[in-house]
């Protein structure tokens, strides 16, 4: 306990320059001392960051966790706090969407429940693994590698798809639609009838997808919509009308559980930091949604893919390049070593 | 019944060392060096205090400058000789165990590959002095009094004996000092860090940055004459959380489950509140 109490006292090495930079902007808005991150930050700067991420997530219709969590880490927030606080912010930004989708009857509750059950299992595993990785000093590496891997794959696929669609639209070709195909997914046991999705499939694939997304959510501080939505469409063949609502339903519940677990196991949820980001984010999302309405779907996906790939490259660059400082200091967590 | 006074006496006897310690001036740090220049004259001593005994870290905390001030009693400095005495002030934070990790290139990716745990490293360490400390005293004197970054007591955990070479552990040690300096947690004010006002009064300004770890600080003031520490004094500053900052931090660490639920409720509440607000505005 003593270790946990003193743990957050040592942050990443970028903390000092940050507080110095924000000091000069003191007249703009007061600095806020974050109780869990244990750093003094400029409130306006973090509100602005929340706004920017909210704008992009409103524009592209994504949660924005994959942008926000790395951004917090670049700002010097300890990785664990960035991930833990990220899940709280995602919960806030997805809950209203989930309620709206539910009211429009766009949620397959049964499918959602299976996804949530899987998600909670994944989250529990993820949060526990995070604790172990922090003790052995490999958590930052694991997070960075996960980001490079997932953002790289999803970004590249989205880029290829959107470029293809834009080309086809230019040449006037209609994209062929495949329907009623059976895949290996339909041969698994524990079949369940999902009325809202008009599916009769095994409960295992959605549970596994949910678990995987829950795991990612805990480790990377993301909602995981960018993995879950394609998986539901292409693997489970859930109708597009219920995909968004059902994935938001899963994200909301899994994020609530993840936030709770992060607070209990890793003490890495900073409510003050999260509130700054939430307030900035909800306002930004309103402007973003208005901006996004002016663009075509494939154009948006193309831009989003570019953004995803940029974040991926930036993190990858930091991993591959010889760091200026090869040493780092941190607290002893849970009596390791 | 007759045993009562005896028991009372026993308790008193047990308490005696504690009481005696309390009544003495707080001199827990390095022992006061004995030096007798003029046998007939009374010894010069230094006394010091800190401008702020307790500092509160609140939500608005952006760092704080503490002033260590003091005076030399029985100064024997000849008239007009301003450089007769040197004063060094060391402000040290609570020691904590820390892990130092070293990255190396593993197949093109930079990965933490080795680490050393130091069982106690001061969270904060500031030196202020009238002149650079190397000019004031020799390394052995500085080491004995734990003055200077290279003399900070850092003991690696025993498990590294034989695994890592001496110079490797030294590199980890240097890294701690370098990184702490970068965080502005190890600071030095070698020139005019301590300023004399008159013959025996002096003051030193110590900047505590916003990221200073919360906990008690110890301010040690040394009086040097001709390269020897002739007197020392210890003062304390407590740095504690206060206000909203304290409430949130204690909630998170003492009642993690309650805090977790609270965090979930805040997120859900603010998310729903925001959406109803904007729905009404956009309608």
């Amino acid at each position: 306990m003593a270790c946990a109490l003193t743990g957050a006292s040592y942050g990443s090495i970028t903390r000092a320059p940050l507080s110095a930079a924000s000091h000069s902007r003191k007249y703009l808005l007061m600095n806020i001392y974050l109780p869990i991150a244990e750093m003094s930050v400029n409130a306006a700067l973090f509100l602005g960051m929340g706004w920017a991420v909210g704008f992009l997530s409103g524009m592209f219709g994504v949660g924005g966790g994959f942008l926000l969590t790395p951004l917090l880490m670049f700002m010097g927030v300890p990785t664990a706090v960035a991930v833990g606080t990220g899940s709280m912010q995602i919960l806030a930004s997805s809950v209203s969407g989930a309620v709206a989708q539910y009211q429009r009857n766009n949620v397959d509750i049964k499918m959602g429940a299976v996804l949530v059950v899987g998600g909670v299992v994944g989250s529990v595993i993820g949060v526990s693994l995070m604790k172990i990785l922090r003790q052995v000093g490999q958590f930052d590496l694991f997070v960075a590698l996960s980001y490079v891997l997932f953002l790289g794959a999803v970004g590249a696929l989205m880029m290829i798809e959107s470029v293809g669609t834009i080309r086809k639209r230019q040449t006037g070709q209609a994209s062929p639609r495949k329907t009623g195909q059976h895949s290996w997914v339909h041969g698994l046991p524990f079949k369940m009838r999902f009325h809202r999705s008009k599916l009769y499939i095994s409960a295992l694939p959605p549970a596994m997808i949910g678990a995987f997304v829950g795991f990612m959510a805990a480790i990377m501080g993301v909602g995981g919509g960018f993995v879950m939505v394609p998986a539901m469409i292409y693997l489970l063949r859930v109708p597009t009308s219920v995909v968004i609502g059902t994935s938001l339903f899963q994200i909301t519940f899994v994020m609530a559980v993840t936030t709770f677990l992060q607070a209990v196991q890793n003490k890495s949820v900073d409510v003050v930091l999260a509130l700054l980001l939430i307030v900035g984010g909800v306002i930004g999302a309103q402007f973003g949604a208005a901006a996004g309405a002016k663009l075509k779907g494939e154009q948006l996906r193309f831009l989003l893919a570019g953004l995803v790939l940029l974040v991926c490259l930036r993190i990858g660059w930091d991993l591959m390049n010889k760091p200026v400082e090869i040493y780092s200091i941190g607290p002893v967590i849970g009596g390791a070593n | 019944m007759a045993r009562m006074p005896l028991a009372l006496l026993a308790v008193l006897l047990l308490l005696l060392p504690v009481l005696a310690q309390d009544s003495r001036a707080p001199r827990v740090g390095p022992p006061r060096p004995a030096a007798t220049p003029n046998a007939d004259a009374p010894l010069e001593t230094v006394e010091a205090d800190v401008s702020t005994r307790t500092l509160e870290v609140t939500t608005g905390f952006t760092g704080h400058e503490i002033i260590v001030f003091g005076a030399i009693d029985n100064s024997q400095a000849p008239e007009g000789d301003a450089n007769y005495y040197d004063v060094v002030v060391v402000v040290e934070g609570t020691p904590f165990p820390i892990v130092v990790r070293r990255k190396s290139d593993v197949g093109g990716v930079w990965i933490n590959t080795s680490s050393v745990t130091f069982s106690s490293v001061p969270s904060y360490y500031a030196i202020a002095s009238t002149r650079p400390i190397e000019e004031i005293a020799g390394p052995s004197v500085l080491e004995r009094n734990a003055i200077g970054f290279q003399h900070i007591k850092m003991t690696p955990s025993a498990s590294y004996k034989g695994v890592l070479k001496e110079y490797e552990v030294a590199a980890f040690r240097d890294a701690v000092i370098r990184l702490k300096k970068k965080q502005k947690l190890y600071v030095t004010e070698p020139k005019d860090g301590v300023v004399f006002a008159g013959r025996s009064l002096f003051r030193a300004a110590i900047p505590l940055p916003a990221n200073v770890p919360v906990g008690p600080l110890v301010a040690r003031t040394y009086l040097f004459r001709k390269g020897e520490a002739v007197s020392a004094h210890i003062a304390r500053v407590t740095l504690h959380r206060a206000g909203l900052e304290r409430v949130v931090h204690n909630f998170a660490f003492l009642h993690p489950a309650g805090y977790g639920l609270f965090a979930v409720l805040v997120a859900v509440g603010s998310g729903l509140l925001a959406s109803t607000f904007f729905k009404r505005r956009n309608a």
Side-chain angles (χ1 to χ4, degrees):
Chain A
M1 193 59 200
C3 288
L5 270 168
T6 58
S9 309
Y10 306 89
S12 98
I13 51 160
T14 43
R15 278 201 319 185
L18 170 70
S19 61
S22 50
H23 199 76
S24 58
R25 260 179 258 117
K26 202 175 170 182
Y27 58 90
L28 203 72
L29 200 75
M30 83 168 191
N31 276 22
I32 287 190
Y33 189 89
L34 303 176
I36 308 298
E38 302 217 325
M39 56 194 282
S40 177
V41 298
N42 184 267
L45 190 67
F46 277 70
L47 275 172
M49 238 169 65
W51 190 93
V53 171
F55 182 88
L56 292 170
S57 61
M59 185 158 134
F60 298 125
V62 292
F66 74 93
L67 288 173
L68 187 66
T69 309
L71 206 56
L72 288 175
M73 293 190 273
F74 294 148
M75 298 299 291
V77 175
T79 308
V81 179
V83 168
T85 308
S87 51
M88 183 175 164
Q89 193 271 345
I90 297 160
L91 171 60
S93 62
S94 57
V95 66
S96 58
V99 169
Q101 294 283 352
Y102 178 78
Q103 284 165 346
R104 278 178 236 147
N105 196 22
N106 288 341
V107 178
D108 184 332
I109 301 282
K110 203 169 169 187
M111 171 79 76
V114 174
L115 286 168
V116 168
V117 169
V120 169
V121 173
S123 174
V124 169
I125 296 171
V127 173
S128 311
L129 181 69
M130 172 169 164
K131 194 170 183 179
I132 297 167
L133 286 169
R134 281 178 76 192
Q135 284 172 353
V136 297
Q138 301 300 352
F139 178 58
D140 291 28
L141 172 77
F142 193 84
V143 171
L145 284 177
S146 308
Y147 265 97
V148 170
L149 200 71
F150 287 115
L151 295 186
V154 171
L157 286 174
M158 205 159 27
M159 182 68 88
I160 292 164
E161 185 272 338
S162 63
V163 169
T165 314
I166 291 169
R167 283 239 180 92
K168 267 174 206 147
R169 198 179 277 264
Q170 280 167 349
T171 53
Q173 275 182 321
S175 57
R177 259 193 79 83
K178 290 178 229 166
T179 46
Q181 269 198 349
H182 275 251
S183 64
W184 58 271
V185 165
H186 297 86
L188 291 167
F190 305 113
K191 286 211 173 192
M192 275 176 101
R193 200 169 291 283
F194 297 103
H195 290 285
R196 190 67 192 81
S197 306
K198 298 187 182 72
L199 284 173
Y200 179 61
I201 53 162
S202 163
L204 287 179
M208 273 154 62
I209 290 169
F212 184 69
V213 169
F215 176 78
M216 279 178 53
I219 288 285
M220 296 167 66
V222 296
F226 65 96
V227 167
M228 194 161 32
V229 170
M232 283 168 79
I233 293 175
Y234 297 110
L235 289 178
L236 305 180
R237 306 207 178 277
V238 174
T240 33
S241 57
V242 293
V243 164
I244 302 292
T246 309
S247 81
L248 270 173
F249 178 86
Q250 193 262 10
I251 290 171
T252 302
F253 279 96
V254 173
M255 277 301 150
V257 172
T258 307
T259 304
F260 179 76
L261 289 176
Q262 294 282 27
V264 172
Q265 283 225 30
N266 291 316
K267 319 259 183 316
S268 58
V269 179
D270 197 312
V271 170
V272 177
L273 174 60
L275 270 177
L276 283 178
L277 299 170
I278 290 167
V279 170
V282 291
I283 301 168
Q286 300 295 322
F287 289 93
K294 291 178 188 134
L295 288 166
K296 285 197 188 96
E298 60 270 20
Q299 289 173 328
L300 277 173
R301 287 203 296 280
F302 176 75
L303 289 174
L304 179 61
L307 194 67
V308 166
L309 288 176
L310 272 179
V311 176
C312 163
L313 284 175
R314 169 69 213 263
I315 298 170
W317 176 262
D318 287 349
L319 272 180
M320 309 286 283
N321 253 295
K322 185 181 165 124
V324 187
E325 174 63 78
I326 59 169
Y327 290 92
S328 61
I329 52 177
V332 176
I333 296 163
N337 290 301
Chain B
M1 265 301 148
R3 280 186 190 166
M4 260 290 270
L6 213 74
L8 212 71
L9 200 71
V11 169
L12 264 176
L13 274 172
L14 278 172
L15 276 173
L16 212 61
V18 182
L19 291 171
Q21 220 162 34
D22 264 3
S23 61
R24 260 197 319 217
R27 261 187 243 281
V28 182
R32 188 174 143 191
T36 40
N38 309 344
D40 49 331
L43 285 179
E44 60 272 76
T45 52
V46 67
E47 286 193 89
D49 203 356
V50 188
S51 56
T52 334
R53 288 285 182 83
T54 54
L55 259 174
E56 294 188 333
V57 177
T58 60
T59 311
F61 186 70
T62 55
H64 194 87
E65 193 181 68
I66 56 169
I67 308 285
V68 177
F69 58 92
I72 304 167
D73 288 339
N74 306 320
S75 173
Q76 290 158 14
E79 208 61 49
D81 185 2
N83 298 325
Y84 191 73
Y85 289 114
D86 274 306
V87 172
V88 178
V89 175
V90 176
V91 178
E92 211 173 314
T94 324
F96 285 122
I98 69 167
V99 195
V100 192
R101 301 181 201 282
R102 188 180 179 279
K103 284 193 178 71
S104 51
D105 194 343
V106 181
V109 177
W110 287 84
I111 295 175
N112 287 331
T113 45
S114 53
S115 70
V116 168
T117 304
F118 290 100
S119 47
S120 73
V121 175
S123 57
Y124 176 80
Y125 192 97
I127 315 163
S129 49
T130 42
R131 285 188 288 160
I133 50 168
E134 303 79 39
E135 293 176 21
I136 294 173
S140 61
V141 175
L142 294 177
E143 193 183 351
R144 202 182 322 134
N145 294 297
I147 300 172
F149 296 140
Q150 62 270 46
H151 301 127
I152 293 173
K153 290 193 179 80
M154 268 187 232
T155 29
S157 297
S159 55
Y160 300 101
K161 296 236 167 76
V163 181
L164 286 170
K165 306 228 166 45
E166 193 106 339
Y167 70 91
E168 285 176 307
V169 176
F172 279 91
R173 219 191 110 92
D174 291 346
V176 174
I177 295 166
R178 189 168 62 243
L179 289 164
K180 286 278 194 180
K181 272 186 183 169
K182 217 173 183 177
Q183 295 180 357
K184 304 220 167 73
L185 291 175
Y186 281 16
V187 286
T188 170
E189 308 269 336
K191 255 169 90 187
D192 301 329
V194 176
V195 186
F196 270 97
R199 194 155 162 262
S200 67
L201 280 175
F202 63 85
R203 51 173 273 151
I206 308 283
L208 297 179
N211 55 343
V212 62
V214 177
L217 297 166
V218 174
R220 310 196 308 253
T221 306
Y222 294 91
L223 181 66
F224 280 92
R225 195 193 56 221
K226 291 180 186 140
E228 281 299 323
V230 292
S231 176
H233 193 276
I234 285 181
R236 279 160 215 284
V237 182
T238 53
L239 194 65
H240 62 86
R241 297 169 199 281
L244 184 67
E245 149 65 22
R246 180 192 175 88
V247 170
V248 175
H249 191 273
N250 282 355
F251 192 15
F253 282 90
L254 302 178
H255 310 281
Y259 179 79
L261 276 178
F262 172 72
V264 169
L265 289 178
V266 166
V268 170
S270 58
L272 291 177
L273 197 75
S275 73
T276 49
F277 173 75
F278 281 107
K279 219 175 275 167
R280 217 170 273 168
R281 250 195 56 181
N282 293 347

